[in-house]
Amino acid sequence: MKNKFFRKIEPYIWILPSIILMAVFILIPIIFVFRMSLSDVSKAGIIKGFSGFANFTKVLNSSAFKLVLKNTIVWTVAVVCLSTILGFMLALILNNEFRGRKIARAIMVFPWATTLVIQASAWKFIIDTDYGTLNTLLLRLGIIEQSVNWTPTPEAYFTWEIACGIFVTIPFVTFCVLSGLQSIDSTYYEAATVDGANYWQKLFQITLPLVKSSLTVSTVLNIIYVFNSFPIIWTITKGDPANHTDTLVTYLYKLAFYNGKQGQAAAVSVIGFMILLVCSSVYMIYTLRKGDD
Amino acid sequence: MRKFAALFLSLTLVCGLAACGGGGDNGESSDGGSAPEVQSDEADEADTADEGGSGEGVAINVIAAQYGQNTTKWWDDFVKDFTAEYPDIDLKVEVESWNDIYTVVNTRISNNDAPDILNIDVFANYQADDLLLPAEEFVSKETYDKMYPAFLEQSDVDGTIWAIPDLASARALYYNADILKAANVEVPTTWDELTEACKAIKAYDSKIYPWGVDMTTDEGQAAFAYYTWNNGGGFVDDDNNWALNSAENVEAIEYAISLVNDGYTNSDPANDTRYDLQDMFGAGQVAMMIGPNSIPTYIADGGYSINYEVAPIPTNGGNDSVSAGVMDRFMCFDNGYSDAEIEAIKTFFDFFYEDERYSEWVLMEGFLPATSTGGEILAEADESMASWVDIVGSCNFYPTAKTEWDDVKQGVINVEQQALLGGNVQELLDELQAEIAE
């Protein structure tokens, strides 16, 4: 009897530590942020009382928010899509047998293993007009005669930030897809070859369907990581000039710690949370349901 | 058996982690975990004695801003000296970087765990929430009287002084004497002369940026101050009301933007910070820039060897040159102190502002004194310091005593950056003025 009861509750005991950890470090802070977003918070951080949706109204009515939201969507879509395509291509290459494959795989890890702040600082150093290494290199090679301003507009800056984001995201996609590729039985390809399938038919009819679950995982995780990414943009431009390179995360950081508007910052955080929740859920449900079909 | 052992270990781990994150009653916020906390061995012993029930010890908890590499060491020595002289006072000093200090302080305040003493730049937000004690309640009269009155006035709200200055810095025009000589131009004193000088330097060497401008999120408000104050404008009018869209301010910002658009400045004023400019100035790539009194130290530490000199900031319309002053403060949170605790806090400040020790504090990172006695000592010791002491005694300060300052500061930076992108300065300042007045 005792043994039976223990068997029944055993799974719950095993997941209890995870639940406690998640409650303490994830759930409670989320509840605090929701509470703050609905509160009147003084600049010193004291909650003065319930303010309804006043913080949300102020945020949604500000002209900067629309620009920042647009930037966030462009940033997330560009980084996730391009890094997924490039990462997938790299995984296909790394899945082939060739000399130095192990070294190539090890090199792939570097951008992933380096701190984002260091990566972003390096990119900033490379593209700088006055002391950047890109200009120095091109000058030395005689390709240009005088330094080029690689960041003449906010859009140019944002493009470089996206490029940096893609560079650091590719390894994660590559390794996710690579793990999927290695689990594909080679007999599928042999059978397809016997049936006269060409490279593209094998790619779209065998490879893609079979690595779909790996791609789904990497895409969903990347949407969350990239959407919430702070260090790259903060290190390179701090969202300047005039919010033109801000995303929701850098914008809410400025609201909270530069403007002292913690209530509004919490509201931006909640909006970001809801967007992520909806996007990730829709994508996962759609992809997994399609997979079941 | 193995299962039970693993389960036991897991639960122990969770409990341990929970215990680590659950601190807070003892004034040691978990957020400040990475910050260097300064407490001497003697203080540890005093702490143990208190727990033993002597009842005579008083604890003071201080959060101090990290001004540079020497700050933590300076406070370390300070705590040792202080504890040796006052063993009954358990002094703890937590040194926080400027990136973290606001977050740490706000988190502690929202957890009802405000520090006793805070060393930071702004105070108005804490005062507005009735969190502070008036300065005269936590500083002895003797120490209070040492402060420059003009500095104390910067912390005046409704006739009460809420914070005391700990140090200051002032800004002036730095120019590369060799470049100006080669370009055959005099040091500019007016905006017209400045424009002509920029033109001449550009003609001499198109690779040199004649004028350095910083309109970044970090310090764009300083650029606003340099141009508006030297055009007869500023953040507030004579009645201390916000006057951001005055005609003088519009003209000043339009002039600064015209220098950028005419190609006389560094290529990216919205992203080139003061430190970038200082590096470029040190490397001879920027001919002139407005900067703080700490630039000589920065240039020497950076290994640069340029022939530079200092001059007043150029003005317009016959206005006198106005230097921009930046001042940091000490404030005391109202944590319901006993008489013994208030006396301990007064003792702390008397000890800190002892003339010799205070001079060391100011010189530690190359700042300027906020006390008249400290100024006299430094002026006597160093001639170059004497002129800076004069400048800092007469310069303008940001209106940080007003609670809207955070919004104004970020607002003027936004105006500058929008103007760099082609925005209309008058319209932008009108919008900002209306927003602040709401």
Side-chain angles (χ1 to χ4, degrees):
Chain A
M1 184 67 191
K2 233 178 187 178
N3 204 17
K4 203 175 173 189
F5 176 72
F6 180 74
R7 285 256 168 95
K8 207 172 178 185
I9 63 159
E10 191 188 9
Y12 301 104
I13 294 174
W14 283 113
I15 60 168
L16 189 64
S18 305
I19 289 173
I20 293 171
L21 278 173
M22 285 172 73
V24 170
F25 293 108
I26 300 174
L27 198 62
I28 293 173
I30 287 174
I31 292 167
F32 268 80
V33 170
F34 271 81
R35 178 176 162 237
M36 200 177 253
S37 71
L38 299 169
S39 305
D40 177 18
V41 188
S42 78
K43 287 190 173 179
I46 295 173
I47 293 179
K48 299 279 185 178
F50 180 71
S51 68
F53 289 96
N55 288 323
F56 289 90
T57 314
K58 280 180 194 162
V59 164
L60 294 171
N61 286 337
S62 75
S63 55
F65 181 76
K66 293 176 190 82
L67 175 66
V68 170
L69 188 62
K70 190 195 90 185
N71 286 345
T72 312
I73 293 167
V74 172
W75 160 257
T76 310
V77 171
V79 174
V80 173
C81 289
L82 291 173
S83 61
T84 302
I85 293 168
L86 294 171
F88 182 76
M89 287 160 65
L90 263 171
L92 289 177
I93 295 168
L94 291 176
N95 195 40
N96 293 325
E97 288 287 341
F98 61 91
R99 212 180 149 97
R101 185 171 77 159
K102 279 184 182 170
I103 295 170
R105 283 185 181 179
I107 290 170
M108 274 301 297
V109 181
F110 286 149
W112 196 19
T114 319
T115 316
L116 283 180
V117 176
I118 303 290
Q119 289 276 358
S121 301
W123 277 71
K124 193 179 180 187
F125 185 63
I126 290 167
I127 61 174
D128 190 275
T129 310
D130 301 305
Y131 50 82
T133 48
L134 181 58
N135 271 336
T136 310
L137 180 71
L138 295 177
L139 282 168
R140 290 256 170 97
L141 293 174
I143 296 170
I144 56 172
E145 284 182 359
Q146 59 180 25
S147 291
V148 175
N149 185 358
W150 299 105
T151 52
T153 61
E155 291 75 22
Y157 254 124
F158 202 49
T159 307
W160 282 109
E161 285 169 342
I162 287 172
C164 179
I166 292 168
F167 183 72
V168 299
T169 311
I170 283 175
F172 176 65
V173 180
T174 305
F175 283 101
C176 276
V177 176
L178 201 54
S179 66
L181 287 174
Q182 287 178 341
S183 65
I184 300 175
D185 195 332
S186 60
T187 53
Y188 291 126
Y189 294 106
E190 286 162 15
T193 308
V194 170
D195 289 344
N198 63 24
Y199 176 80
W200 299 108
Q201 282 170 322
K202 283 187 230 169
L203 179 68
F204 287 105
Q205 303 299 325
I206 300 173
T207 311
L208 261 179
L210 290 174
V211 295
K212 201 187 215 168
S213 54
S214 303
L215 271 176
T216 305
V217 171
S218 75
T219 306
V220 171
L221 289 178
N222 270 339
I223 289 173
I224 296 166
Y225 291 153
V226 174
F227 189 94
N228 284 328
S229 178
F230 177 83
I232 294 172
I233 288 173
W234 194 253
T235 306
I236 296 179
T237 59
K238 284 196 172 168
D240 290 339
N243 304 114
H244 277 68
T245 59
D246 260 325
T247 60
L248 284 179
V249 181
T250 55
Y251 180 60
L252 77 86
Y253 184 84
K254 280 188 198 169
L255 275 178
F257 301 116
Y258 280 66
N259 290 62
K261 293 175 179 172
Q262 295 178 53
Q264 289 184 40
V268 175
S269 186
V270 168
I271 292 169
F273 177 79
M274 301 309 278
I275 293 171
L276 267 183
L277 194 67
V278 170
C279 289
S280 307
S281 306
V282 167
Y283 183 80
M284 278 195 78
I285 291 167
Y286 174 77
T287 319
L288 295 177
R289 210 177 258 177
K290 220 177 163 190
D292 289 344
D293 293 341
Chain B
M1 189 59 204
R2 274 185 190 172
K3 275 184 183 176
F4 279 110
L7 188 62
F8 175 74
L9 284 172
S10 302
L11 285 170
T12 311
L13 173 72
V14 171
C15 294
L17 283 173
C20 287
D25 292 341
N26 58 358
E28 294 170 31
S29 165
S30 55
D31 301 278
S34 60
E37 188 173 278
V38 180
Q39 185 182 21
S40 70
D41 297 339
E42 291 89 332
D44 285 334
E45 283 162 20
D47 217 14
T48 318
D50 289 348
E51 284 166 12
S54 74
E56 289 175 4
V58 174
I60 304 176
N61 181 264
V62 181
I63 293 183
Q66 188 170 29
Y67 289 101
Q69 292 173 344
N70 305 319
T71 312
T72 306
K73 169 81 170 64
W74 191 90
W75 277 114
D76 193 10
D77 293 342
F78 178 91
V79 172
K80 277 180 190 154
D81 294 347
F82 183 87
T83 313
E85 199 158 331
Y86 302 101
D88 288 341
I89 302 174
D90 176 10
L91 176 65
K92 282 180 190 168
V93 179
E94 196 180 308
V95 181
E96 294 287 351
S97 76
W98 283 107
N99 284 337
D100 298 331
I101 193 164
Y102 305 102
T103 320
V104 169
V105 173
N106 279 12
T107 308
R108 286 189 48 171
I109 289 171
S110 54
N111 288 332
N112 291 320
D113 184 30
D116 298 319
I117 296 167
L118 174 64
N119 166 216
I120 206 169
D121 53 348
V122 289
F123 76 100
N125 296 335
Y126 308 124
Q127 190 277 327
D129 278 343
D130 294 327
L131 296 171
L132 301 181
L133 281 180
E136 287 181 282
E137 287 185 24
F138 65 83
V139 186
S140 69
K141 189 172 181 318
E142 191 191 341
T143 298
Y144 188 84
D145 288 344
K146 288 181 181 177
M147 314 282 165
Y148 285 120
F151 282 24
L152 287 171
E153 281 166 21
Q154 304 309 315
S155 305
D156 181 337
V157 178
D158 299 332
T160 304
I161 307 296
W162 295 93
I164 54 171
D166 71 305
L167 49 75
S169 75
R171 306 291 164 96
L173 170 68
Y174 286 81
Y175 62 93
N176 186 316
D178 292 341
I179 294 176
L180 263 65
K181 193 179 172 189
N184 201 22
V185 285
E186 294 294 317
V187 182
T189 57
T190 66
W191 287 0
D192 289 339
E193 289 174 12
L194 175 61
T195 310
E196 288 307 312
C198 289
K199 222 179 266 181
I201 293 167
K202 202 76 189 163
Y204 160 67
D205 186 344
S206 63
K207 284 180 184 164
I208 294 173
Y209 296 128
W211 186 244
V213 175
D214 167 8
M215 291 180 172
T216 62
T217 290
D218 285 341
E219 243 200 1
Q221 81 283 358
F224 188 87
Y226 302 150
Y227 297 97
T228 58
W229 280 342
N230 284 291
N231 194 39
F235 296 96
V236 292
D237 60 18
D238 293 340
D239 298 323
N240 203 31
N241 295 317
W242 295 113
L244 301 165
N245 57 345
S246 68
E248 292 84 1
N249 288 1
V250 174
E251 185 188 20
I253 300 307
E254 282 178 344
Y255 173 70
I257 299 297
S258 75
L259 289 174
V260 179
N261 291 339
D262 290 342
Y264 295 146
T265 68
N266 41 309
S267 57
D268 196 359
N271 279 292
D272 291 333
T273 65
R274 175 158 61 78
Y275 296 101
D276 293 330
L277 290 181
Q278 288 176 188
D279 284 327
M280 286 195 269
F281 181 72
Q285 201 177 353
V286 165
M288 299 178 282
M289 69 173 286
I290 300 170
N293 53 288
S294 57
I295 283 189
T297 315
Y298 188 89
I299 286 176
D301 290 350
Y304 300 115
S305 55
I306 53 160
N307 177 22
Y308 67 92
E309 300 209 13
V310 186
I313 298 171
T315 70
N316 188 43
N319 289 292
D320 289 336
S321 179
V322 177
S323 173
V326 179
M327 189 188 85
D328 294 338
R329 302 164 163 90
F330 276 117
M331 60 209 76
C332 181
F333 281 82
D334 186 359
N335 289 336
Y337 300 113
S338 65
D339 289 345
E341 285 169 327
I342 281 289
E343 280 311 309
I345 290 170
K346 284 183 178 176
T347 305
F348 168 86
F349 284 116
D350 288 342
F351 194 77
F352 180 89
Y353 284 100
E354 268 177 18
D355 293 340
E356 203 177 319
R357 183 171 295 105
Y358 180 68
S359 303
E360 282 171 15
W361 160 258
V362 169
L363 286 173
M364 170 192 64
E365 303 280 8
F367 285 101
L368 297 171
T371 67
S372 50
T373 46
E376 284 161 16
I377 292 173
L378 288 175
E380 271 175 30
D382 185 348
E383 263 183 45
S384 65
M385 193 61 96
S387 59
W388 281 109
V389 171
D390 285 345
I391 290 172
V392 81
S394 62
C395 58
N396 279 5
F397 290 93
Y398 301 132
T400 48
K402 292 168 84 71
T403 50
E404 302 88 358
W405 170 243
D406 287 340
D407 297 324
V408 169
K409 181 181 160 187
Q410 293 308 313
V412 296
I413 294 168
N414 191 54
V415 166
E416 289 167 352
Q417 295 188 351
Q418 295 272 17
L420 285 171
L421 296 172
N424 182 299
V425 176
Q426 179 74 65
E427 286 173 13
L428 291 165
L429 284 174
D430 285 345
E431 274 174 35
L432 178 62
Q433 175 72 22
E435 196 183 306
I436 299 299
E438 266 178 19

